[in-house]
Amino acid sequence: EIVLTQSPGTLSLSPGERATLSCRASQNVRVSHLAWYQQKPGQAPRLLIYGTSTRPTGIPDRFSGSTSGTDFTLTITRLEPEDFAVYYCQQFDNSRAVTFGGGTKVEIK
Amino acid sequence: QVSLQESGPGLVKPSETLSLICTVSGQSITSYHYWGWIRQAPGKGLEWIGNVYQTGATYYNQSLGYRLTMSLDTSKNQFSLNLHSVTAADTGVYYCARVVWMWEPPNFYYMDVWGKGTTVTVSS
């Protein structure tokens, strides 16, 4: 099973600041099989990024994704009040299994 | 506009079977998409339960697989989850989701439409 380790567990930032969230995979993950989700309290997760760096229609361009080897990064260039939430990375592997990272909470400083 | 809605009992007794249904609106479940279940224990992260494909083929989380049954009901445009021999550790919010898996390049895999979730408590 591929383990995804997200860091930090909590990120305390102010609106307007830049957020950098990390997701490290225990084995190689196909770029096309890595996604990011945003979850607010009491809500279902929302797809933010798929294929490591592709934004679905309607997702603002302040959200971006990138990778370097087994390290994946979600960047929010300028935090808006509505961006304070928990973020999860997710991968799909060759055995057709899915795993999620433990999540990073972005909270208001 | 595709939407998903979970339904089922909110309370299940230990050792019994948790049965949930996800009703899909706006799309036939026999189209090319796949369908999945994900859960979230109170205060915890997301855990993938399994996927069911339009052919009826299933892929389960290995840690749950021996207790799981997932299936499609094409006549009702629904898919279902049965989790047997539940314990308190199975308490949480259960989500159904549409899974996009492209077999041809670029081979994307992601879950793009989610239900609102249904809370299940395992308790006597």
Side-chain angles (χ1 to χ4, degrees), chain B residues 20-85:
Chain B
L20 298 176
I21 289 172
C22 182
T23 301
V24 180
S25 302
Q27 179 185 3
S28 169
I29 61 171
T30 58
S31 64
Y32 74 93
H33 288 102
Y34 307 92
W35 310 96
W37 289 96
I38 303 94
R39 70 180 184 178
Q40 188 168 35
K44 302 297 185 183
L46 301 171
E47 179 183 29
W48 174 70
I49 298 172
N51 290 343
V52 57
Y53 300 135
Q54 59 177 340
T55 59
T58 52
Y59 292 92
Y60 299 149
N61 185 324
Q62 283 189 338
S63 68
L64 299 170
Y66 67 100
R67 297 195 289 134
L68 270 177
T69 307
M70 293 174 61
S71 62
L72 301 172
D73 185 338
T74 56
S75 66
K76 296 180 180 178
N77 218 41
Q78 298 173 334
F79 61 102
S80 65
L81 164 71
N82 286 300
L83 181 63
H84 311 287
S85 304

Short mmCIF file of all heavy atoms in Angstrom, two decimals, chain B residues 20-85:
data_model
loop_
_atom_site.label_atom_id
_atom_site.label_comp_id
_atom_site.label_asym_id
_atom_site.label_seq_id
_atom_site.Cartn_x
_atom_site.Cartn_y
_atom_site.Cartn_z
N LEU B 20 -25.91 0.84 3.06
CA LEU B 20 -26.12 2.18 2.53
C LEU B 20 -26.38 2.13 1.03
O LEU B 20 -25.87 1.25 0.33
CB LEU B 20 -24.91 3.08 2.80
CG LEU B 20 -24.54 3.33 4.26
CD1 LEU B 20 -23.26 4.15 4.34
CD2 LEU B 20 -25.66 4.06 4.98
N ILE B 21 -27.16 3.11 0.57
CA ILE B 21 -27.45 3.24 -0.85
C ILE B 21 -27.04 4.63 -1.29
O ILE B 21 -27.21 5.61 -0.55
CB ILE B 21 -28.95 3.00 -1.12
CG1 ILE B 21 -29.29 1.52 -0.94
CG2 ILE B 21 -29.32 3.45 -2.54
CD1 ILE B 21 -30.77 1.24 -1.00
N CYS B 22 -26.51 4.72 -2.48
CA CYS B 22 -26.21 6.00 -3.10
C CYS B 22 -27.06 6.12 -4.36
O CYS B 22 -26.95 5.30 -5.28
CB CYS B 22 -24.74 6.11 -3.45
SG CYS B 22 -24.27 7.71 -4.16
N THR B 23 -27.91 7.13 -4.40
CA THR B 23 -28.77 7.36 -5.56
C THR B 23 -28.13 8.44 -6.44
O THR B 23 -27.81 9.53 -5.96
CB THR B 23 -30.17 7.81 -5.12
OG1 THR B 23 -30.73 6.79 -4.28
CG2 THR B 23 -31.07 8.04 -6.32
N VAL B 24 -27.96 8.10 -7.70
CA VAL B 24 -27.32 9.00 -8.66
C VAL B 24 -28.39 9.67 -9.51
O VAL B 24 -29.26 9.00 -10.06
CB VAL B 24 -26.33 8.23 -9.55
CG1 VAL B 24 -25.67 9.17 -10.55
CG2 VAL B 24 -25.27 7.54 -8.69
N SER B 25 -28.30 10.99 -9.62
CA SER B 25 -29.21 11.75 -10.47
C SER B 25 -28.41 12.49 -11.53
O SER B 25 -27.32 12.98 -11.25
CB SER B 25 -30.01 12.75 -9.63
OG SER B 25 -30.72 12.11 -8.61
N GLY B 26 -28.98 12.59 -12.71
CA GLY B 26 -28.35 13.36 -13.77
C GLY B 26 -27.39 12.57 -14.64
O GLY B 26 -26.81 13.13 -15.57
N GLN B 27 -27.21 11.30 -14.35
CA GLN B 27 -26.31 10.45 -15.15
C GLN B 27 -26.66 9.00 -14.89
O GLN B 27 -26.97 8.62 -13.76
CB GLN B 27 -24.85 10.70 -14.78
CG GLN B 27 -23.86 9.84 -15.54
CD GLN B 27 -22.44 10.01 -15.06
OE1 GLN B 27 -22.16 10.73 -14.11
NE2 GLN B 27 -21.52 9.33 -15.73
N SER B 28 -26.55 8.18 -15.92
CA SER B 28 -26.73 6.75 -15.74
C SER B 28 -25.48 6.14 -15.11
O SER B 28 -24.36 6.46 -15.51
CB SER B 28 -26.99 6.07 -17.09
OG SER B 28 -26.91 4.67 -16.95
N ILE B 29 -25.69 5.25 -14.15
CA ILE B 29 -24.52 4.63 -13.52
C ILE B 29 -23.83 3.63 -14.45
O ILE B 29 -22.75 3.13 -14.13
CB ILE B 29 -24.89 3.94 -12.18
CG1 ILE B 29 -25.90 2.82 -12.42
CG2 ILE B 29 -25.38 4.94 -11.17
CD1 ILE B 29 -26.11 1.97 -11.17
N THR B 30 -24.45 3.35 -15.58
CA THR B 30 -23.81 2.44 -16.54
C THR B 30 -22.98 3.19 -17.57
O THR B 30 -22.45 2.58 -18.48
CB THR B 30 -24.86 1.58 -17.26
OG1 THR B 30 -25.79 2.44 -17.93
CG2 THR B 30 -25.61 0.70 -16.28
N SER B 31 -22.86 4.49 -17.40
CA SER B 31 -21.96 5.27 -18.27
C SER B 31 -20.52 4.96 -17.87
O SER B 31 -20.27 4.15 -17.01
CB SER B 31 -22.26 6.76 -18.16
OG SER B 31 -21.98 7.20 -16.84
N TYR B 32 -19.57 5.65 -18.48
CA TYR B 32 -18.18 5.22 -18.32
C TYR B 32 -17.60 5.49 -16.94
O TYR B 32 -16.55 4.98 -16.62
CB TYR B 32 -17.28 5.87 -19.36
CG TYR B 32 -16.96 7.33 -19.14
CD1 TYR B 32 -15.83 7.73 -18.44
CD2 TYR B 32 -17.80 8.32 -19.64
CE1 TYR B 32 -15.54 9.08 -18.24
CE2 TYR B 32 -17.52 9.66 -19.45
CZ TYR B 32 -16.39 10.04 -18.75
OH TYR B 32 -16.11 11.37 -18.56
N HIS B 33 -18.29 6.28 -16.10
CA HIS B 33 -17.72 6.57 -14.79
C HIS B 33 -17.81 5.37 -13.85
O HIS B 33 -18.55 4.43 -14.07
CB HIS B 33 -18.41 7.78 -14.16
CG HIS B 33 -18.06 9.06 -14.81
ND1 HIS B 33 -18.91 9.69 -15.69
CD2 HIS B 33 -16.97 9.82 -14.75
CE1 HIS B 33 -18.34 10.80 -16.12
NE2 HIS B 33 -17.16 10.91 -15.57
N TYR B 34 -17.05 5.46 -12.81
CA TYR B 34 -17.05 4.46 -11.77
C TYR B 34 -17.57 5.10 -10.50
O TYR B 34 -17.71 6.31 -10.43
CB TYR B 34 -15.63 3.90 -11.59
CG TYR B 34 -15.04 3.44 -12.90
CD1 TYR B 34 -14.29 4.30 -13.69
CD2 TYR B 34 -15.28 2.16 -13.38
CE1 TYR B 34 -13.78 3.90 -14.90
CE2 TYR B 34 -14.76 1.74 -14.59
CZ TYR B 34 -14.02 2.61 -15.35
OH TYR B 34 -13.52 2.22 -16.56
N TRP B 35 -17.82 4.31 -9.49
CA TRP B 35 -18.50 4.80 -8.30
C TRP B 35 -17.80 4.29 -7.05
O TRP B 35 -17.37 3.13 -7.00
CB TRP B 35 -19.97 4.35 -8.34
CG TRP B 35 -20.59 4.69 -9.65
CD1 TRP B 35 -20.72 3.88 -10.73
CD2 TRP B 35 -21.07 5.99 -10.06
NE1 TRP B 35 -21.28 4.57 -11.77
CE2 TRP B 35 -21.49 5.86 -11.40
CE3 TRP B 35 -21.19 7.23 -9.41
CZ2 TRP B 35 -22.03 6.94 -12.11
CZ3 TRP B 35 -21.72 8.29 -10.13
CH2 TRP B 35 -22.14 8.14 -11.46
N GLY B 36 -17.69 5.17 -6.04
CA GLY B 36 -16.92 4.80 -4.86
C GLY B 36 -17.57 5.19 -3.56
O GLY B 36 -18.50 5.99 -3.52
N TRP B 37 -17.05 4.58 -2.50
CA TRP B 37 -17.45 4.90 -1.13
C TRP B 37 -16.20 5.30 -0.34
O TRP B 37 -15.15 4.68 -0.47
CB TRP B 37 -18.12 3.70 -0.45
CG TRP B 37 -19.48 3.36 -0.97
CD1 TRP B 37 -19.79 2.43 -1.91
CD2 TRP B 37 -20.72 3.96 -0.57
NE1 TRP B 37 -21.15 2.40 -2.12
CE2 TRP B 37 -21.74 3.33 -1.32
CE3 TRP B 37 -21.08 4.97 0.35
CZ2 TRP B 37 -23.09 3.67 -1.18
CZ3 TRP B 37 -22.41 5.30 0.48
CH2 TRP B 37 -23.40 4.65 -0.26
N ILE B 38 -16.37 6.33 0.46
CA ILE B 38 -15.30 6.85 1.31
C ILE B 38 -15.93 7.14 2.66
O ILE B 38 -17.10 7.55 2.75
CB ILE B 38 -14.73 8.17 0.72
CG1 ILE B 38 -14.23 7.96 -0.70
CG2 ILE B 38 -13.64 8.73 1.62
CD1 ILE B 38 -15.25 8.29 -1.78
N ARG B 39 -15.18 6.97 3.73
CA ARG B 39 -15.73 7.28 5.05
C ARG B 39 -14.76 8.12 5.86
O ARG B 39 -13.58 8.24 5.52
CB ARG B 39 -16.08 6.00 5.81
CG ARG B 39 -14.88 5.18 6.27
CD ARG B 39 -15.34 3.93 7.00
NE ARG B 39 -14.23 3.17 7.54
CZ ARG B 39 -14.37 2.06 8.25
NH1 ARG B 39 -15.60 1.57 8.51
NH2 ARG B 39 -13.31 1.41 8.71
N GLN B 40 -15.30 8.68 6.94
CA GLN B 40 -14.51 9.57 7.78
C GLN B 40 -14.96 9.39 9.22
O GLN B 40 -16.09 9.74 9.57
CB GLN B 40 -14.70 11.02 7.33
CG GLN B 40 -13.81 12.01 7.99
CD GLN B 40 -13.85 13.37 7.30
OE1 GLN B 40 -14.89 13.80 6.79
NE2 GLN B 40 -12.72 14.05 7.27
N ALA B 41 -14.09 8.82 10.04
CA ALA B 41 -14.38 8.67 11.45
C ALA B 41 -14.41 10.05 12.10
O ALA B 41 -13.79 10.99 11.59
CB ALA B 41 -13.33 7.78 12.11
N PRO B 42 -15.12 10.19 13.21
CA PRO B 42 -15.22 11.51 13.86
C PRO B 42 -13.86 12.12 14.14
O PRO B 42 -13.00 11.50 14.77
CB PRO B 42 -15.97 11.18 15.15
CG PRO B 42 -16.76 9.95 14.83
CD PRO B 42 -15.91 9.16 13.89
N GLY B 43 -13.65 13.32 13.63
CA GLY B 43 -12.40 14.04 13.86
C GLY B 43 -11.19 13.49 13.13
O GLY B 43 -10.06 13.94 13.38
N LYS B 44 -11.40 12.56 12.21
CA LYS B 44 -10.28 11.92 11.51
C LYS B 44 -10.28 12.26 10.03
O LYS B 44 -11.12 13.02 9.53
CB LYS B 44 -10.37 10.39 11.68
CG LYS B 44 -10.36 9.94 13.13
CD LYS B 44 -9.06 10.29 13.83
CE LYS B 44 -9.04 9.73 15.25
NZ LYS B 44 -7.81 10.13 15.98
N GLY B 45 -9.34 11.66 9.31
CA GLY B 45 -9.22 11.91 7.88
C GLY B 45 -10.09 10.98 7.05
O GLY B 45 -10.90 10.22 7.57
N LEU B 46 -9.89 11.06 5.75
CA LEU B 46 -10.69 10.29 4.80
C LEU B 46 -10.10 8.89 4.62
O LEU B 46 -8.88 8.72 4.56
CB LEU B 46 -10.71 11.00 3.45
CG LEU B 46 -11.28 12.42 3.46
CD1 LEU B 46 -11.05 13.10 2.12
CD2 LEU B 46 -12.77 12.40 3.79
N GLU B 47 -10.98 7.91 4.51
CA GLU B 47 -10.56 6.53 4.27
C GLU B 47 -11.36 5.97 3.10
O GLU B 47 -12.59 5.94 3.13
CB GLU B 47 -10.78 5.66 5.51
CG GLU B 47 -10.38 4.20 5.30
CD GLU B 47 -10.67 3.32 6.51
OE1 GLU B 47 -11.61 3.63 7.26
OE2 GLU B 47 -9.96 2.32 6.68
N TRP B 48 -10.65 5.53 2.07
CA TRP B 48 -11.31 4.89 0.92
C TRP B 48 -11.82 3.52 1.33
O TRP B 48 -11.11 2.74 1.96
CB TRP B 48 -10.32 4.79 -0.23
CG TRP B 48 -10.81 4.03 -1.41
CD1 TRP B 48 -11.78 4.43 -2.30
CD2 TRP B 48 -10.37 2.76 -1.88
NE1 TRP B 48 -11.95 3.47 -3.27
CE2 TRP B 48 -11.09 2.44 -3.04
CE3 TRP B 48 -9.40 1.85 -1.42
CZ2 TRP B 48 -10.88 1.26 -3.76
CZ3 TRP B 48 -9.20 0.67 -2.13
CH2 TRP B 48 -9.94 0.39 -3.28
N ILE B 49 -13.09 3.24 0.94
CA ILE B 49 -13.70 1.95 1.25
C ILE B 49 -13.60 1.03 0.04
O ILE B 49 -13.17 -0.13 0.16
CB ILE B 49 -15.17 2.13 1.67
CG1 ILE B 49 -15.28 2.98 2.93
CG2 ILE B 49 -15.84 0.77 1.86
CD1 ILE B 49 -16.71 3.35 3.30
N GLY B 50 -14.04 1.50 -1.10
CA GLY B 50 -13.99 0.67 -2.29
C GLY B 50 -14.66 1.33 -3.47
O GLY B 50 -15.30 2.37 -3.35
N ASN B 51 -14.47 0.72 -4.65
CA ASN B 51 -15.07 1.18 -5.90
C ASN B 51 -15.85 0.06 -6.55
O ASN B 51 -15.47 -1.12 -6.45
CB ASN B 51 -13.98 1.63 -6.89
CG ASN B 51 -13.28 2.91 -6.48
OD1 ASN B 51 -13.76 3.66 -5.64
ND2 ASN B 51 -12.14 3.15 -7.09
N VAL B 52 -16.92 0.45 -7.23
CA VAL B 52 -17.65 -0.51 -8.05
C VAL B 52 -17.73 0.06 -9.46
O VAL B 52 -17.95 1.25 -9.65
CB VAL B 52 -19.06 -0.81 -7.48
CG1 VAL B 52 -19.89 0.45 -7.33
CG2 VAL B 52 -19.78 -1.85 -8.33
N TYR B 53 -17.49 -0.76 -10.44
CA TYR B 53 -17.44 -0.33 -11.83
C TYR B 53 -18.71 -0.70 -12.56
O TYR B 53 -19.51 -1.50 -12.09
CB TYR B 53 -16.21 -0.92 -12.51
CG TYR B 53 -14.93 -0.50 -11.83
CD1 TYR B 53 -13.93 -1.42 -11.57
CD2 TYR B 53 -14.72 0.81 -11.45
CE1 TYR B 53 -12.76 -1.05 -10.93
CE2 TYR B 53 -13.56 1.19 -10.80
CZ TYR B 53 -12.58 0.26 -10.55
OH TYR B 53 -11.43 0.64 -9.91
N GLN B 54 -18.88 -0.14 -13.72
CA GLN B 54 -20.11 -0.34 -14.47
C GLN B 54 -20.33 -1.80 -14.82
O GLN B 54 -21.47 -2.22 -15.05
CB GLN B 54 -20.09 0.51 -15.74
CG GLN B 54 -18.93 0.20 -16.67
CD GLN B 54 -19.00 1.02 -17.95
OE1 GLN B 54 -20.04 1.53 -18.31
NE2 GLN B 54 -17.88 1.14 -18.63
N THR B 55 -19.27 -2.57 -14.84
CA THR B 55 -19.40 -4.00 -15.13
C THR B 55 -19.86 -4.79 -13.91
O THR B 55 -20.16 -5.97 -14.01
CB THR B 55 -18.04 -4.58 -15.57
OG1 THR B 55 -17.10 -4.36 -14.50
CG2 THR B 55 -17.55 -3.88 -16.83
N GLY B 56 -19.84 -4.12 -12.75
CA GLY B 56 -20.12 -4.80 -11.50
C GLY B 56 -18.87 -5.23 -10.77
O GLY B 56 -18.93 -5.69 -9.63
N ALA B 57 -17.71 -5.09 -11.44
CA ALA B 57 -16.45 -5.43 -10.79
C ALA B 57 -16.21 -4.50 -9.61
O ALA B 57 -16.60 -3.33 -9.63
CB ALA B 57 -15.30 -5.30 -11.79
N THR B 58 -15.58 -5.05 -8.59
CA THR B 58 -15.37 -4.27 -7.37
C THR B 58 -13.90 -4.30 -6.96
O THR B 58 -13.18 -5.27 -7.22
CB THR B 58 -16.22 -4.81 -6.21
OG1 THR B 58 -15.98 -6.22 -6.08
CG2 THR B 58 -17.70 -4.57 -6.46
N TYR B 59 -13.47 -3.23 -6.33
CA TYR B 59 -12.14 -3.15 -5.73
C TYR B 59 -12.30 -2.57 -4.34
O TYR B 59 -12.88 -1.50 -4.19
CB TYR B 59 -11.22 -2.29 -6.60
CG TYR B 59 -10.92 -2.96 -7.91
CD1 TYR B 59 -11.71 -2.71 -9.03
CD2 TYR B 59 -9.88 -3.88 -8.03
CE1 TYR B 59 -11.47 -3.36 -10.23
CE2 TYR B 59 -9.63 -4.53 -9.22
CZ TYR B 59 -10.43 -4.27 -10.31
OH TYR B 59 -10.19 -4.92 -11.49
N TYR B 60 -11.79 -3.31 -3.36
CA TYR B 60 -12.02 -2.94 -1.97
C TYR B 60 -10.72 -2.58 -1.26
O TYR B 60 -9.65 -3.10 -1.59
CB TYR B 60 -12.66 -4.12 -1.21
CG TYR B 60 -14.00 -4.57 -1.72
CD1 TYR B 60 -14.38 -5.91 -1.61
CD2 TYR B 60 -14.91 -3.69 -2.28
CE1 TYR B 60 -15.62 -6.35 -2.05
CE2 TYR B 60 -16.15 -4.11 -2.73
CZ TYR B 60 -16.50 -5.45 -2.61
OH TYR B 60 -17.74 -5.87 -3.05
N ASN B 61 -10.85 -1.73 -0.24
CA ASN B 61 -9.75 -1.50 0.67
C ASN B 61 -9.42 -2.83 1.34
O ASN B 61 -10.29 -3.47 1.93
CB ASN B 61 -10.16 -0.45 1.71
CG ASN B 61 -9.04 -0.06 2.64
OD1 ASN B 61 -8.21 -0.87 3.04
ND2 ASN B 61 -9.03 1.21 3.02
N GLN B 62 -8.16 -3.24 1.24
CA GLN B 62 -7.78 -4.57 1.76
C GLN B 62 -8.09 -4.72 3.24
O GLN B 62 -8.38 -5.83 3.70
CB GLN B 62 -6.29 -4.79 1.53
CG GLN B 62 -5.93 -5.15 0.11
CD GLN B 62 -4.49 -5.58 -0.03
OE1 GLN B 62 -3.64 -5.26 0.79
NE2 GLN B 62 -4.20 -6.32 -1.08
N SER B 63 -8.05 -3.63 3.98
CA SER B 63 -8.29 -3.73 5.42
C SER B 63 -9.76 -3.99 5.74
O SER B 63 -10.10 -4.40 6.85
CB SER B 63 -7.83 -2.44 6.11
OG SER B 63 -8.66 -1.36 5.74
N LEU B 64 -10.63 -3.77 4.76
CA LEU B 64 -12.06 -3.95 4.97
C LEU B 64 -12.64 -5.05 4.10
O LEU B 64 -13.77 -5.50 4.33
CB LEU B 64 -12.81 -2.66 4.65
CG LEU B 64 -12.48 -1.43 5.46
CD1 LEU B 64 -13.14 -0.19 4.84
CD2 LEU B 64 -12.92 -1.60 6.90
N GLY B 65 -11.88 -5.47 3.09
CA GLY B 65 -12.42 -6.31 2.02
C GLY B 65 -13.20 -7.52 2.45
O GLY B 65 -14.21 -7.86 1.85
N TYR B 66 -12.77 -8.19 3.49
CA TYR B 66 -13.45 -9.42 3.88
C TYR B 66 -14.82 -9.16 4.49
O TYR B 66 -15.61 -10.08 4.67
CB TYR B 66 -12.57 -10.20 4.87
CG TYR B 66 -12.38 -9.51 6.21
CD1 TYR B 66 -13.11 -9.89 7.33
CD2 TYR B 66 -11.47 -8.48 6.35
CE1 TYR B 66 -12.94 -9.27 8.54
CE2 TYR B 66 -11.29 -7.83 7.57
CZ TYR B 66 -12.03 -8.24 8.67
OH TYR B 66 -11.85 -7.61 9.86
N ARG B 67 -15.13 -7.89 4.80
CA ARG B 67 -16.43 -7.54 5.38
C ARG B 67 -17.31 -6.78 4.39
O ARG B 67 -18.43 -6.39 4.73
CB ARG B 67 -16.24 -6.69 6.63
CG ARG B 67 -15.51 -7.37 7.77
CD ARG B 67 -15.69 -6.60 9.07
NE ARG B 67 -14.98 -5.34 9.10
CZ ARG B 67 -15.50 -4.18 9.51
NH1 ARG B 67 -16.76 -4.12 9.90
NH2 ARG B 67 -14.76 -3.08 9.54
N LEU B 68 -16.83 -6.54 3.18
CA LEU B 68 -17.49 -5.63 2.27
C LEU B 68 -18.23 -6.33 1.14
O LEU B 68 -17.76 -7.34 0.62
CB LEU B 68 -16.45 -4.73 1.61
CG LEU B 68 -16.08 -3.40 2.27
CD1 LEU B 68 -14.98 -2.74 1.46
CD2 LEU B 68 -17.30 -2.49 2.34
N THR B 69 -19.36 -5.74 0.76
CA THR B 69 -20.01 -6.09 -0.49
C THR B 69 -20.51 -4.79 -1.11
O THR B 69 -21.19 -4.01 -0.44
CB THR B 69 -21.21 -7.03 -0.27
OG1 THR B 69 -20.80 -8.16 0.49
CG2 THR B 69 -21.78 -7.49 -1.61
N MET B 70 -20.15 -4.56 -2.36
CA MET B 70 -20.65 -3.40 -3.09
C MET B 70 -21.29 -3.89 -4.38
O MET B 70 -20.82 -4.86 -4.98
CB MET B 70 -19.51 -2.42 -3.41
CG MET B 70 -18.91 -1.77 -2.17
SD MET B 70 -17.46 -0.74 -2.54
CE MET B 70 -18.20 0.47 -3.62
N SER B 71 -22.36 -3.20 -4.79
CA SER B 71 -23.04 -3.62 -6.02
C SER B 71 -23.76 -2.45 -6.65
O SER B 71 -23.90 -1.39 -6.05
CB SER B 71 -24.02 -4.75 -5.72
OG SER B 71 -25.02 -4.31 -4.81
N LEU B 72 -24.22 -2.67 -7.89
CA LEU B 72 -24.99 -1.69 -8.65
C LEU B 72 -26.43 -2.18 -8.77
O LEU B 72 -26.68 -3.39 -8.88
CB LEU B 72 -24.43 -1.53 -10.06
CG LEU B 72 -22.99 -1.08 -10.26
CD1 LEU B 72 -22.63 -1.18 -11.75
CD2 LEU B 72 -22.81 0.33 -9.77
N ASP B 73 -27.37 -1.24 -8.79
CA ASP B 73 -28.76 -1.54 -9.14
C ASP B 73 -29.10 -0.62 -10.30
O ASP B 73 -29.51 0.53 -10.11
CB ASP B 73 -29.68 -1.31 -7.96
CG ASP B 73 -31.12 -1.74 -8.24
OD1 ASP B 73 -31.50 -1.81 -9.44
OD2 ASP B 73 -31.87 -2.00 -7.29
N THR B 74 -28.92 -1.11 -11.51
CA THR B 74 -29.09 -0.25 -12.69
C THR B 74 -30.54 0.16 -12.88
O THR B 74 -30.81 1.23 -13.43
CB THR B 74 -28.58 -0.96 -13.94
OG1 THR B 74 -29.26 -2.21 -14.08
CG2 THR B 74 -27.08 -1.22 -13.84
N SER B 75 -31.49 -0.65 -12.42
CA SER B 75 -32.90 -0.31 -12.59
C SER B 75 -33.29 0.92 -11.78
O SER B 75 -34.22 1.65 -12.12
CB SER B 75 -33.77 -1.50 -12.21
OG SER B 75 -33.66 -1.77 -10.82
N LYS B 76 -32.57 1.14 -10.68
CA LYS B 76 -32.87 2.28 -9.82
C LYS B 76 -31.80 3.36 -9.90
O LYS B 76 -31.88 4.38 -9.20
CB LYS B 76 -33.00 1.82 -8.36
CG LYS B 76 -34.16 0.87 -8.12
CD LYS B 76 -34.22 0.46 -6.66
CE LYS B 76 -35.38 -0.50 -6.41
NZ LYS B 76 -35.44 -0.96 -5.01
N ASN B 77 -30.80 3.13 -10.73
CA ASN B 77 -29.65 4.06 -10.85
C ASN B 77 -29.01 4.32 -9.48
O ASN B 77 -28.76 5.46 -9.07
CB ASN B 77 -30.07 5.39 -11.48
CG ASN B 77 -29.00 5.93 -12.42
OD1 ASN B 77 -28.39 5.17 -13.17
ND2 ASN B 77 -28.77 7.21 -12.39
N GLN B 78 -28.77 3.22 -8.79
CA GLN B 78 -28.18 3.29 -7.45
C GLN B 78 -27.01 2.34 -7.35
O GLN B 78 -26.91 1.36 -8.10
CB GLN B 78 -29.22 2.90 -6.38
CG GLN B 78 -30.43 3.79 -6.30
CD GLN B 78 -31.47 3.24 -5.34
OE1 GLN B 78 -31.56 2.04 -5.10
NE2 GLN B 78 -32.27 4.14 -4.77
N PHE B 79 -26.14 2.60 -6.39
CA PHE B 79 -25.16 1.61 -6.00
C PHE B 79 -25.15 1.51 -4.49
O PHE B 79 -25.58 2.44 -3.80
CB PHE B 79 -23.77 1.88 -6.60
CG PHE B 79 -23.13 3.18 -6.21
CD1 PHE B 79 -22.13 3.23 -5.24
CD2 PHE B 79 -23.47 4.36 -6.86
CE1 PHE B 79 -21.51 4.42 -4.91
CE2 PHE B 79 -22.86 5.56 -6.52
CZ PHE B 79 -21.88 5.59 -5.55
N SER B 80 -24.70 0.38 -3.98
CA SER B 80 -24.87 0.12 -2.57
C SER B 80 -23.60 -0.39 -1.91
O SER B 80 -22.67 -0.86 -2.55
CB SER B 80 -25.99 -0.90 -2.36
OG SER B 80 -25.61 -2.15 -2.91
N LEU B 81 -23.61 -0.26 -0.59
CA LEU B 81 -22.51 -0.72 0.25
C LEU B 81 -23.10 -1.55 1.38
O LEU B 81 -24.07 -1.13 2.03
CB LEU B 81 -21.79 0.51 0.83
CG LEU B 81 -20.86 0.27 2.02
CD1 LEU B 81 -19.61 -0.47 1.57
CD2 LEU B 81 -20.49 1.60 2.68
N ASN B 82 -22.53 -2.71 1.60
CA ASN B 82 -22.87 -3.51 2.77
C ASN B 82 -21.57 -3.82 3.51
O ASN B 82 -20.65 -4.40 2.92
CB ASN B 82 -23.55 -4.84 2.38
CG ASN B 82 -24.97 -4.61 1.93
OD1 ASN B 82 -25.82 -4.12 2.66
ND2 ASN B 82 -25.25 -4.95 0.69
N LEU B 83 -21.51 -3.40 4.76
CA LEU B 83 -20.34 -3.67 5.60
C LEU B 83 -20.80 -4.56 6.75
O LEU B 83 -21.64 -4.16 7.57
CB LEU B 83 -19.76 -2.35 6.12
CG LEU B 83 -18.51 -2.45 6.99
CD1 LEU B 83 -17.35 -3.05 6.19
CD2 LEU B 83 -18.12 -1.07 7.53
N HIS B 84 -20.26 -5.75 6.78
CA HIS B 84 -20.72 -6.76 7.74
C HIS B 84 -19.94 -6.71 9.05
O HIS B 84 -18.83 -6.17 9.11
CB HIS B 84 -20.58 -8.16 7.11
CG HIS B 84 -21.15 -8.24 5.73
ND1 HIS B 84 -22.51 -8.25 5.48
CD2 HIS B 84 -20.53 -8.29 4.51
CE1 HIS B 84 -22.70 -8.32 4.17
NE2 HIS B 84 -21.53 -8.34 3.56
N SER B 85 -20.55 -7.25 10.09
CA SER B 85 -19.89 -7.41 11.40
C SER B 85 -19.29 -6.10 11.89
O SER B 85 -18.10 -6.02 12.23
CB SER B 85 -18.79 -8.48 11.30
OG SER B 85 -19.31 -9.70 10.84
#
